[in-house]
């Protein structure tokens, strides 16, 4: 009531301007932080892993697959371990990554492991089985040049076989 309306408006504008000059930089910092948080970041491309440093574990029984993959990850920290539940999934992963070693179960849901290894594997890959007897597993492994290991494979034997295969693809 002491000031005319226009003078009060000017005085209020000056006060707001002064406050913005004081707190403006802090508001800008927080605004940039919020903007970075809300702006989606493009995915970082996966660094290529050399063929010799990548292993594919193929088993339709989840517990066996996870156990074998975990044993390899623990023993071979520089090696990337992929997992597949079927021959078809294994083919897709292998076409993309060209694994240096493959560990496959003899009996998969969609095909036989030795047929899979004959197609995408190489000498020294590992063929496992928990149902076939030792003679049948050895015979199947011989058809694809794989090393036969009964399930559950001894971790030392598994790691030694995979390491030997990785060394030959190196």
């Amino acid at each position: 009531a002491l000031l005319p309306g226009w003078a009060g408006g000017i005085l209020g504008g000056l006060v707001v301007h002064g406050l913005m000059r004081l707190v403006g930089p802090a508001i800008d910092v927080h605004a940039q932080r919020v903007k970075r948080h809300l702006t989606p970041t493009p995915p970082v491309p996966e660094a290529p892993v050399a063929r010799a440093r990548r292993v594919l574990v193929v088993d339709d029984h989840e517990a066996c697959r996870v156990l074998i993959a975990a044993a390899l990850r623990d023993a071979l920290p520089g090696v990337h371990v992929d997992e597949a539940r079927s021959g078809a999934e294994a083919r897709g992963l292998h076409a993309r990554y060209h694994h240096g070693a493959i560990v496959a179960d003899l009996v998969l849901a969609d095909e036989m492991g030795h047929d899979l290894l004959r197609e995408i594997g190489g000498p020294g890959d590992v063929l496992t089985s928990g149902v076939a007897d030792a003679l049948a597993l050895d015979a199947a492994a011989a058809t694809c040049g794989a090393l036969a290991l009964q399930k559950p494979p001894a971790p030392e034997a598994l790691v030694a076989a995979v390491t030997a295969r990785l060394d030959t693809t190196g």
Side-chain angles (χ1 to χ4, degrees), residues 30-44:
H30 291 294
Q32 291 299 321
R33 203 177 286 161
V34 168
K35 183 179 177 182
R36 279 193 309 269
H37 182 70
L38 295 177
T39 303
T41 57
V44 177

Side-chain angles (χ1 to χ4, degrees), residues 109-143:
D110 59 346
E111 68 180 295
M112 297 299 289
H114 63 284
D115 293 333
L116 175 70
L117 289 179
R118 209 173 16 245
E119 187 177 325
I120 68 171
D125 282 327
V126 179
L127 188 65
T128 65
S129 180
V131 296
D133 63 26
L135 291 175
L137 181 58
D138 287 341
T143 67

Side-chain angles (χ1 to χ4, degrees), residues 29-156:
V29 168
H30 291 294
Q32 291 299 321
R33 203 177 286 161
V34 168
K35 183 179 177 182
R36 279 193 309 269
H37 182 70
L38 295 177
T39 303
T41 57
V44 177
E46 185 177 318
V49 177
R51 170 188 166 102
R53 305 312 301 165
R54 200 162 199 130
V55 177
L56 177 60
V57 177
V58 188
D59 199 320
D60 54 345
H61 294 100
E62 183 177 6
C64 293
R65 185 180 65 252
V66 169
L67 183 69
I68 290 170
L72 292 172
R73 285 184 186 109
D74 288 345
L76 306 170
V79 174
H80 185 88
V81 180
D82 292 312
E83 299 178 40
R85 292 181 278 286
S86 66
E89 188 178 351
R91 279 184 182 76
L93 286 169
H94 189 66
R96 182 173 181 185
Y97 297 116
H98 306 286
H99 299 86
I102 301 173
V103 178
D105 186 25
L106 175 62
V107 181
L108 300 169
D110 59 346
E111 68 180 295
M112 297 299 289
H114 63 284
D115 293 333
L116 175 70
L117 289 179
R118 209 173 16 245
E119 187 177 325
I120 68 171
D125 282 327
V126 179
L127 188 65
T128 65
S129 180
V131 296
D133 63 26
L135 291 175
L137 181 58
D138 287 341
T143 67
C144 59
L147 174 69
L149 290 178
Q150 288 285 342
K151 282 187 190 175
E156 303 81 25

